[in-house]
Amino acid sequence: MRRLFKILGIVVLVLVGVIGALLIAFRTPDTDPAAMRAKYGAAPSRFVDLGGGLTVHLRDTGPRDGPVLVLIHGSNASLHTWEPWAARLGNRYRVIRFDLPGHGLTGANPTHHYATADFVDVVERVRAKLGLARFALAGNSMGGGVAWHYALAHPERVAALVLVDSVGQPEPGSQSPPLAFRIARMPIIRNLATVVTPRSLIADGLPQAYANPKLADDTAIDLYWELLRYPGNREATIERFATPSDPATPALLKRLTMPVLILWGAQDHLIPVSSAQWLHANIPGSKLIVYPDTGHIPMEERADQSAADVRAFLQSANQAN
């Protein structure tokens, strides 16, 4: 028996040595914060101190006296996903978008809390910091969930709500998450992903977000890969995926009394279009637009049409108010 334990001990040591060697050989280091800020955080970017050690990367463009539109990005994305809308709506609207904690150039949350309620709190802190009284709020994917949760918590602040391929429906089914998302949910393996994150992981997963996979070009892949490796973001991603989800219920959605526009890509492989129909059926008076030949990120893939639809919706909502 003693000899067996000795052999097992040797095997464990060998395995630890092999794993250690592999980690050294394939380790993907964090990106350099100064280099990333220079590359992705130039003007009109700002870095806004929200207190408690949290500084948020934010862009606030458009006329100061224009109606305000706040944009919340999705999981593992950044404020850059909204630049097509900012360019198309910024002549009339004050467009505010920022990197949520654990994303982009904001980096990790000092509290290490990444539940939807924590993101809602960050949105409220940004609102208070910028002195916003009332605004339209839009969110994509995970950011859509943050947006409708915020609208429930602070209905007096939200003049109109736009949900773009948003989370909400419990267990929507028909989902085909890319490899990067599946790894983030695997015990042990996901911890390795905090130090071993090859570019191929992004190159494999990002094309699935588009109906036209060619939109996931080298520039887009590098953006996601480099910002994922911004210090603290990989660990934050693992912590976030370990946090229980907070899906909608019909009773909750019926409390959304502001005008609501739902935009969706018909070829969304991450959240199926049936979820759009479920949200539409449960949000009173909501409007649904489904774009053919479009994936999970319509504001990028159908920038002109989606921005025009948002403009028309917000003008109508403003007249109604």
Side-chain angles (χ1 to χ4, degrees), residues 171-320:
E171 301 181 3
S174 302
Q175 292 176 293
S176 178
L179 179 61
F181 286 78
R182 297 196 299 271
I183 285 176
R185 294 183 172 94
M186 296 178 183
I188 301 176
I189 299 296
R190 68 188 182 191
N191 294 326
L192 292 178
T194 63
V195 290
V196 180
T197 314
R199 187 178 184 275
S200 59
L201 193 67
I202 307 303
D204 169 76
L206 188 58
Q208 297 181 49
Y210 302 95
N212 178 7
K214 292 182 179 179
L215 293 175
D217 57 17
D218 286 342
T219 299
I221 291 168
D222 283 343
L223 170 71
Y224 276 81
W225 185 50
E226 291 175 347
L227 292 182
L228 176 60
R229 294 185 296 118
Y230 190 83
N233 281 354
R234 286 184 284 187
E235 293 82 359
T237 298
I238 299 306
E239 292 170 346
R240 178 163 50 83
F241 274 101
T243 302
S245 62
D246 192 5
T249 65
L252 279 176
L253 295 178
K254 282 180 171 53
R255 289 168 44 201
L256 295 172
T257 58
M258 68 286 296
V260 178
L261 174 64
I262 303 168
L263 305 179
W264 222 273
Q267 276 69 53
D268 188 336
H269 300 302
L270 300 179
I271 305 179
V273 72
S274 57
S275 282
Q277 295 156 352
W278 184 86
L279 289 169
H280 178 47
N282 286 290
I283 299 176
S286 61
K287 179 179 180 181
L288 170 62
I289 300 175
V290 178
Y291 301 111
D293 302 316
T294 306
H296 189 60
I297 319 175
M299 60 279 193
E300 295 183 26
E301 198 164 11
R302 290 289 176 268
D304 288 339
Q305 186 59 58
S306 61
D309 289 335
V310 168
R311 182 188 294 271
F313 167 71
L314 294 181
Q315 288 174 343
S316 175
N318 185 56
Q319 292 170 0

Side-chain angles (χ1 to χ4, degrees), residues 129-143:
K129 187 76 173 184
L130 299 182
L132 308 176
R134 192 166 163 82
F135 51 91
L137 180 62
N140 170 238
S141 192
M142 178 192 77

Side-chain angles (χ1 to χ4, degrees), residues 5 12 59 97 102 133 138 140 150 168 189 211 240 247 256:
F5 281 128
V12 169
R59 289 183 178 177
R97 59 276 188 209
N140 170 238
Y150 182 90
I189 299 296
R240 178 163 50 83
L256 295 172

